[in-house]
C-alpha cells in the first residue's frame, strides 16, 4: 500500500533561491525582475522568464544582465517588487492580477544601484552575491498550452564576473562560507530561509 496521493498542484516551484535580475531598459535605466527559476552548471546559469516581461525583452535585446542573490532578510523588499512591472502598457493578464507599471524599481523597493564592471545593467548593492553575465543562447519551450496568456523563454547565460560580500567568504579563498551565507528561498510561493546544515558532498572544496 502506498502513502502517496496523486495531486495536480497549480505551481511546481519546489524550492529554489530567489534571484533579482537587473537588465537595461531602452532608455538606459536598469530594470529589476524578481524570479526563482534558475539553475547553475559550470559557468552557465539557465533562466526561465515569462515572455511578456520587460526583463526578458531587455535581456534578449541587450544580451547582458546581472543575477543578484538576496539574503533571507531582504524578503520584504523582494515582495515589494512582486506586483511591479517595467512593461508599459501593462499586459492585460497582468493587469487582472494586480500588476502596475513602475519605471524606478530601485526607488520603489528601497534597494541601491551599484555600477557593474563588465556589463551595462547596474548591480544591487544589498545583495551579498552578484553574477555579471551575458546571454549565449535562448529558446522558447515546446508544446506550451495555447490557452496560456504568455509563454516562457529559457535563457542560457554565461557568468563573466562574481562579486560577494567579504563577510560571507572564507578568508584568503574564492569560496563562499555556507555558514555565513543565508539565501532567500522560494518554495511553493512562500519565502523561506535555509535550515540546519546536515553535511556536505564529497565534492565540496571547503
Amino acid at each position: 500500500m502506498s502513502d502517496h496521493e496523486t495531486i495536480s498542484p497549480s505551481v511546481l516551484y519546489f524550492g529554489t533561491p530567489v534571484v533579482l535580475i537587473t537588465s537595461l531598459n531602452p532608455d538606459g535605466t536598469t530594470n529589476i525582475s524578481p524570479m526563482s527559476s534558475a539553475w547553475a552548471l559550470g559557468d552557465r546559469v539557465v533562466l526561465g522568464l515569462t515572455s511578456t516581461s520587460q526583463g526578458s525583452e531587455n535581456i534578449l535585446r541587450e544580451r547582458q544582465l546581472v543575477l543578484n542573490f538576496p539574503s533571507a532578510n531582504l524578503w520584504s523588499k523582494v515582495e515589494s517588487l512582486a506586483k511591479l512591472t517595467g512593461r508599459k502598457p501593462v499586459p492585460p493578464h497582468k493587469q487582472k492580477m494586480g500588476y502596475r507599471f513602475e519605471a524606478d524599481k530601485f526607488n520603489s523597493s528601497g534597494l541601491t544601484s551599484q555600477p557593474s564592471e563588465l556589463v551595462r545593467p547596474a548591480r544591487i548593492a544589498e545583495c551579498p552575491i552578484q553574477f555579471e553575465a551575458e546571454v549565449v543562447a535562448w529558446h522558447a519551450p515546446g508544446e506550451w498550452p495555447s490557452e496560456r496568456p504568455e509563454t516562457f523563454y529559457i535563457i542560457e547565460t554565461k557568468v563573466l564576473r562574481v562579486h560577494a560580500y567579504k563577510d560571507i567568504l572564507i578568508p584568503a579563498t574564492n569560496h563562499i562560507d555556507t555558514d555565513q551565507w543565508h539565501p532567500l528561498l522560494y518554495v511553493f510561493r512562500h519565502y523561506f530561509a535555509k535550515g540546519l546544515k546536515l553535511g556536505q558532498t564529497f565534492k565540496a572544496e571547503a
Side-chain angles (χ1 to χ4, degrees):
M1 180 178 177
S2 175
D3 290 330
H4 294 81
E5 291 187 14
T6 300
I7 63 173
S8 299
S10 60
V11 294
L12 298 177
Y13 295 112
F14 48 81
T16 47
V18 171
V19 186
L20 296 178
I21 300 179
T22 46
S23 60
L24 204 68
N25 291 317
D27 64 1
T29 60
T30 295
N31 183 63
I32 306 175
S33 303
M35 59 88 74
S36 64
S37 299
W39 59 274
L41 185 64
D43 66 351
R44 307 302 166 94
V45 177
V46 179
L47 312 171
L49 289 171
T50 58
S51 59
T52 60
S53 72
Q54 187 63 43
S56 61
E57 179 182 293
N58 291 345
I59 290 167
L60 295 181
R61 182 187 64 254
E62 300 291 334
R63 304 186 72 85
Q64 293 185 341
L65 64 155
V66 182
L67 306 175
N68 303 271
F69 297 87
S71 54
N73 64 354
L74 292 176
W75 80 267
S76 60
K77 290 186 180 294
V78 172
E79 180 59 18
S80 73
L81 292 163
K83 281 192 174 184
L84 305 181
T85 178
R87 197 67 175 263
K88 188 178 183 180
V90 179
H93 71 282
K94 287 193 172 183
Q95 288 184 25
K96 292 179 181 179
M97 297 169 65
Y99 281 78
R100 65 176 177 85
F101 171 74
E102 176 55 61
D104 188 351
K105 293 184 181 179
F106 279 102
N107 182 63
S108 63
S109 62
L111 295 170
T112 307
S113 176
Q114 179 182 28
S116 295
E117 296 178 357
L118 299 179
V119 299
R120 293 176 66 198
R123 293 178 281 156
I124 299 175
E126 288 82 1
C127 290
I129 298 177
Q130 308 155 336
F131 293 174
E132 297 187 37
E134 64 180 3
V135 174
V136 293
W138 72 275
H139 67 89
E143 300 181 6
W144 194 254
S146 59
E147 67 274 10
R148 295 288 183 91
E150 59 184 351
T151 183
F152 285 83
Y153 294 134
I154 299 171
I155 302 173
E156 179 185 351
T157 69
K158 179 180 180 180
V159 177
L160 305 175
R161 181 157 293 177
V162 177
H163 307 271
Y165 279 1
K166 293 179 180 179
D167 59 5
I168 66 168
L169 294 176
I170 297 175
T173 76
N174 285 302
H175 297 299
I176 302 294
D177 186 339
T178 55
D179 289 329
Q180 302 301 321
W181 165 227
H182 303 285
L184 176 61
L185 305 177
Y186 191 63
V187 183
F188 290 106
R189 290 181 171 161
H190 294 261
Y191 297 110
F192 286 87
K194 70 177 184 181
L196 296 175
K197 182 176 180 178
L198 303 176
Q200 63 188 50
T201 177
F202 74 96
K203 296 180 180 179
E205 298 177 355

